[in-house]
Amino acid sequence: DVQVSERPEFAMIAVQGPTARERVQGLLREADRAGAAKLARFAAMDAQTATGIPLFVARTGYTGEDGYEIVLPENEAVAFWNALLDAGVKPAGLGARDTLRLEAGMNLYGQDMDETVSPYEAALAWTVALDVGADSKPRDFIGRDVLEQQKANGVPRQLIGLVMDEKGVLRHGQKVLTAHGEGEILSGTFSPTLGKAIAFARVPAGDIALGAEGGVRVDIRGKEVPVRVVKFPFVR
C-alpha cells in the first residue's frame, strides 16, 4: 500500500555541478561527511549540518551533473541556502535546470513523455526489464502487455535528437518533417554549451540517418530549416 501526501513543512534544494558534492560535504557535521562522500548514485541518507540542521541527502539528480538533492525543514531552508552561498554555490533557477537536463538527453515528464507514451517511444528502453533473475522470470506489471506488443511489432513513434546549425531556437510544438511523415518538437532550447539550438522530437518510426543525411527539417514560421539528427546526450 502506498500513500502520497504533500509535506509543506519541508523544502528541497538541489545542489548540482562538478564541485557540488564537496561543497555540501563541507557543511555537514564531521560524523556524516564520510558517508555522504561514499553515497552511491540513486541512494540517500539522513545527515545533519555542522550547526545541527537535520537533512535528508539524496544523490538522484536530474540535470546531467552530479550533486545532491537536500530535503530539510522549511523553516531552516533560508539558513542552509545562505550557507551554500557562503560556500561558493551560485543560485540557478529552473531554466538552467531545464537546459542542463536537455543537454544531457533527459526526458521531462509532461513535455517529452506522459501516460500515453511508452518507454520504447521515449528512448527509455534501458529502463524496462520484462524478465528478471538468473532464470529470466517474467515480471508482472501494469502496461506489460503493451510493451510486449511494441517489442515484438515495433513502436509507431520514436524520439530523436536534433541540432540546428543555423541561427534560431527550436521550440515546443514546431512541426518536424521526415521521410516517414510529420512529427513535432517536444523540448527545445538554446544550448549554452554547444552554442546552437537543440531539441527532442517525436516522429514516426523508421530508419533516419544520423547527421545532416537524415533529411529532417523543422518548419519555422513557414520556412523548412534543415537540422542534424544526433544521438543522446547532446553534450558528453
Side-chain angles (χ1 to χ4, degrees), residues 92-135:
L94 288 177
R97 192 284 303 267
D98 194 55
T99 299
L100 281 169
R101 68 93 188 166
L102 186 54
E103 288 184 340
M106 295 180 174
N107 283 258
L108 178 64
Y109 188 84
Q111 181 129 330
D112 307 317
M113 57 183 293
D114 56 26
E115 66 273 13
T116 69
V117 179
S118 81
Y120 295 147
E121 295 175 300
L124 292 172
W126 62 272
T127 68
V128 179
L130 296 175
D131 306 315
V132 297
D135 57 353

Side-chain angles (χ1 to χ4, degrees), residues 25-75:
Q25 291 163 23
L27 299 179
L28 301 180
R29 63 180 182 178
E30 190 170 349
D32 291 326
R33 291 177 186 174
K38 295 178 181 179
L39 196 65
R41 291 302 304 270
F42 309 116
M45 62 176 283
D46 291 314
Q48 288 187 26
T49 67
T51 58
I53 299 175
L55 306 175
F56 181 77
V57 180
R59 195 172 167 214
T60 55
Y62 184 63
T63 61
E65 283 283 1
D66 200 357
Y68 295 123
E69 299 70 55
I70 299 159
V71 178
L72 70 165
E74 182 272 338
N75 59 1

